[in-house]
Amino acid sequence: EDALFAMRVPAEVRNDLAKIADLKVVSRPSVLDYKPRVKRNLREIADALGVAHVVEASVERKPGRVRLRVQLTNARTGTQIWQEHYHTTRNEVFAVQSKIAQAVAAQLGARVSETEREAIDEKPTKQPLAYDGYIRAGILLDGIALDARSAELRYEAVHLLEGAVAGDPKFLLAYCRLAYAHQGLYFN
């Protein structure tokens, strides 16, 4: 449960950063090989991914509270540009994710239009449980190419997404991801 929650926050910050036209953001599947707490060379990672900066995040959950640590590093030099800690509740994580994305953009000197800012601030749902199912399903679907149990994982993702749309019938992104999961089942 904690591991999935810890994966969710950086994934959503990455999605928010991708909404900013001035930034190049590498997709989640491209960074799956670079696990936290594994000794790595940022310069090699930057060269492999074609990036100049790396955003790293860690999440620590305690009953009723969440602590996020985020840092932005110049991958070529290994110099830390920015670091911040955020303390919040689980239900307020959406707002903190938006703050993190905007802070990273500001540190990189990226222009953020009003439309982009609104897109970053927009919450996909007001139901935390529906959102958890959506994120869990996304993590499963992202890892399918790396797993021999792809059909089993797709069925599990469909189950999670059906729960998400049942929890919030207006959750458009969950419907889209559900259609994607069904498409994968049909074609595979």
Side-chain angles (χ1 to χ4, degrees):
E1 182 72 21
D2 286 346
L4 286 172
F5 185 80
M7 291 172 74
R8 173 186 123 183
V9 174
E12 288 307 300
V13 169
R14 183 182 310 104
N15 290 344
D16 284 346
L17 290 170
K19 295 172 185 175
I20 301 171
D22 269 3
L23 299 177
K24 173 188 174 190
V25 179
V26 176
S27 68
R28 184 176 185 281
S30 298
V31 298
L32 284 176
D33 292 337
Y34 307 105
K35 304 271 186 216
R37 295 187 180 88
V38 174
K39 187 173 181 171
R40 61 205 186 280
N41 181 318
L42 279 182
R43 187 172 296 155
E44 290 173 7
I45 293 171
D47 290 342
L49 296 175
V51 298
H53 298 90
V54 175
V55 178
E56 296 177 279
S58 65
V59 180
E60 181 182 338
R61 279 192 349 170
K62 295 182 178 181
R65 302 291 301 164
V66 177
R67 180 176 186 251
L68 300 143
R69 184 194 60 81
V70 183
Q71 71 179 33
L72 175 65
T73 305
N74 180 320
R76 309 264 184 238
T77 64
T79 306
Q80 183 176 307
I81 298 171
W82 171 82
Q83 179 177 334
E84 190 65 58
H85 293 86
Y86 297 88
H87 300 270
T88 187
T89 65
R90 184 175 178 152
N91 291 338
E92 295 172 352
V93 169
F94 286 127
V96 172
Q97 289 169 177
S98 297
K99 285 181 188 177
I100 292 169
Q102 292 182 36
V104 168
Q107 290 297 319
L108 294 172
R111 289 174 310 189
V112 181
S113 72
E114 188 58 35
T115 304
E116 291 167 338
R117 189 174 321 281
E118 288 172 5
I120 290 169
D121 288 340
E122 184 178 356
K123 295 178 182 179
T125 179
K126 293 179 179 151
Q127 302 299 324
L129 291 177
Y131 190 68
D132 279 349
Y134 167 79
I135 293 299
R136 286 179 179 198
I139 291 166
L140 291 174
L141 292 171
D142 285 348
I144 282 176
L146 307 172
D147 198 307
R149 305 171 300 131
S150 66
E152 178 185 328
L153 294 176
R154 283 186 206 278
Y155 280 113
E156 187 176 344
V158 165
H159 176 71
L160 289 166
L161 291 164
E162 286 173 344
V165 297
D168 182 356
K170 295 180 180 179
F171 191 1
L172 178 63
L173 291 176
Y175 280 108
C176 294
R177 192 167 275 173
L178 179 58
Y180 173 77
H182 276 294
Q183 175 191 5
L185 283 171
Y186 177 79
F187 287 109
N188 294 306

Coordinates of all heavy atoms in Angstrom, one line a residue, residues 4-5 7-9 11-12 15 130-140 160-161 171 177:
L4 N 2.8 1.6 -3.4 CA 2.0 2.2 -4.5 C 1.7 3.6 -4.3 O 1.7 4.4 -5.2 CB 0.7 1.4 -4.5 CG 0.8 0.0 -5.1 CD1 -0.5 -0.8 -5.0 CD2 1.2 0.0 -6.6
F5 N 1.4 4.1 -3.0 CA 1.2 5.5 -2.8 C 2.5 6.3 -3.1 O 2.4 7.3 -3.7 CB 0.8 5.7 -1.3 CG 0.5 7.1 -1.0 CD1 -0.8 7.6 -1.3 CD2 1.4 8.0 -0.4 CE1 -1.1 8.9 -1.1 CE2 1.0 9.3 -0.1 CZ -0.2 9.7 -0.5
M7 N 4.7 5.5 -5.3 CA 4.9 5.6 -6.7 C 3.9 6.6 -7.4 O 4.2 7.2 -8.4 CB 4.7 4.2 -7.4 CG 5.7 3.2 -7.0 SD 5.3 1.6 -7.6 CE 5.6 1.7 -9.3
R8 N 2.7 6.8 -6.7 CA 1.7 7.6 -7.3 C 2.1 9.1 -7.3 O 1.9 9.8 -8.3 CB 0.4 7.5 -6.4 CG -0.6 8.4 -6.8 CD -1.8 8.3 -5.8 NE -2.0 9.6 -5.2 CZ -2.9 9.8 -4.3 NH1 -3.6 8.8 -3.8 NH2 -3.1 11.0 -3.8
V9 N 2.7 9.6 -6.2 CA 3.0 11.0 -6.1 C 4.0 11.4 -7.2 O 3.7 12.4 -8.0 CB 3.4 11.4 -4.7 CG1 3.9 12.8 -4.7 CG2 2.3 11.1 -3.7
A11 N 4.7 10.1 -10.0 CA 4.0 9.9 -11.3 C 3.1 11.1 -11.6 O 3.1 11.6 -12.8 CB 3.3 8.6 -11.3
E12 N 2.4 11.5 -10.7 CA 1.5 12.6 -10.9 C 2.2 14.0 -11.0 O 1.8 14.8 -11.8 CB 0.4 12.7 -9.8 CG -0.6 11.6 -9.9 CD -1.2 11.5 -11.3 OE1 -1.8 12.5 -11.8 OE2 -1.1 10.5 -11.9
N15 N 3.3 13.9 -14.5 CA 2.2 14.3 -15.4 C 2.0 15.8 -15.4 O 1.7 16.3 -16.5 CB 1.0 13.5 -15.0 CG 1.1 12.0 -15.3 OD1 1.9 11.6 -16.0 ND2 0.2 11.3 -14.6
A130 N -11.2 6.5 -5.5 CA -11.2 6.3 -6.9 C -9.9 6.7 -7.6 O -9.4 6.0 -8.5 CB -12.4 7.2 -7.5
Y131 N -9.3 7.7 -7.1 CA -8.0 8.1 -7.6 C -6.9 7.1 -7.3 O -6.1 6.8 -8.2 CB -7.6 9.5 -7.0 CG -6.4 10.1 -7.7 CD1 -6.4 10.5 -9.0 CD2 -5.2 10.2 -7.0 CE1 -5.3 11.1 -9.6 CE2 -4.1 10.7 -7.7 CZ -4.2 11.2 -9.0 OH -3.1 11.7 -9.6
D132 N -6.9 6.5 -6.2 CA -6.0 5.4 -5.8 C -6.1 4.2 -6.8 O -5.1 3.7 -7.3 CB -6.2 4.9 -4.4 CG -5.5 5.8 -3.4 OD1 -4.7 6.7 -3.7 OD2 -5.8 5.6 -2.2
G133 N -7.4 3.8 -7.1 CA -7.6 2.7 -8.1 C -7.1 3.1 -9.4 O -6.4 2.3 -10.1
Y134 N -7.3 4.3 -9.9 CA -6.8 4.8 -11.1 C -5.3 4.8 -11.2 O -4.7 4.3 -12.2 CB -7.3 6.3 -11.3 CG -6.7 7.0 -12.5 CD1 -7.1 6.8 -13.8 CD2 -5.7 8.0 -12.2 CE1 -6.5 7.5 -14.8 CE2 -5.1 8.7 -13.2 CZ -5.5 8.5 -14.5 OH -4.9 9.2 -15.5
I135 N -4.6 5.2 -10.2 CA -3.2 5.2 -10.2 C -2.6 3.8 -10.1 O -1.7 3.5 -10.8 CB -2.6 6.1 -9.0 CG1 -3.0 7.6 -9.2 CG2 -1.1 5.9 -8.8 CD1 -2.4 8.2 -10.5
R136 N -3.2 3.0 -9.3 CA -2.7 1.6 -9.2 C -2.8 0.9 -10.5 O -1.9 0.2 -11.0 CB -3.5 0.8 -8.2 CG -3.2 1.1 -6.8 CD -4.1 0.3 -5.9 NE -3.8 0.6 -4.5 CZ -4.2 -0.2 -3.5 NH1 -4.9 -1.3 -3.8 NH2 -3.9 0.1 -2.3
A137 N -4.0 1.1 -11.2 CA -4.1 0.5 -12.5 C -3.1 1.1 -13.5 O -2.5 0.3 -14.3 CB -5.5 0.8 -13.0
G138 N -2.8 2.3 -13.4 CA -1.8 2.9 -14.3 C -0.4 2.3 -14.1 O 0.3 2.0 -15.0
I139 N -0.1 2.1 -12.8 CA 1.2 1.4 -12.5 C 1.3 0.0 -13.1 O 2.2 -0.4 -13.6 CB 1.4 1.5 -11.0 CG1 1.7 2.9 -10.5 CG2 2.6 0.6 -10.6 CD1 1.6 3.1 -9.0
L140 N 0.2 -0.7 -12.9 CA 0.1 -2.1 -13.5 C 0.2 -2.0 -15.0 O 1.0 -2.8 -15.6 CB -1.2 -2.7 -13.1 CG -1.4 -3.1 -11.6 CD1 -2.8 -3.7 -11.4 CD2 -0.4 -4.1 -11.2
L160 N -9.6 -2.6 -11.0 CA -9.3 -1.3 -10.3 C -10.0 -0.1 -10.9 O -10.6 0.7 -10.2 CB -7.8 -1.1 -10.2 CG -7.0 -2.0 -9.3 CD1 -5.5 -1.9 -9.5 CD2 -7.3 -1.7 -7.8
L161 N -10.0 -0.1 -12.2 CA -10.6 1.0 -12.9 C -12.1 1.0 -12.9 O -12.8 2.1 -12.8 CB -10.1 1.1 -14.4 CG -8.6 1.5 -14.5 CD1 -8.1 1.1 -15.9 CD2 -8.4 2.9 -14.2
F171 N -15.4 10.6 -13.5 CA -13.9 10.6 -13.5 C -13.5 10.2 -14.9 O -13.2 9.0 -15.2 CB -13.4 9.6 -12.5 CG -12.0 9.6 -12.2 CD1 -11.1 10.4 -12.8 CD2 -11.5 8.7 -11.2 CE1 -9.7 10.4 -12.6 CE2 -10.1 8.6 -11.0 CZ -9.2 9.5 -11.6
R177 N -8.6 5.4 -19.2 CA -7.6 4.3 -18.9 C -8.3 3.0 -19.0 O -7.7 2.0 -19.4 CB -7.0 4.6 -17.6 CG -5.8 3.7 -17.3 CD -5.0 4.2 -16.1 NE -4.0 5.2 -16.6 CZ -3.3 5.9 -15.7 NH1 -3.3 5.7 -14.4 NH2 -2.4 6.8 -16.2

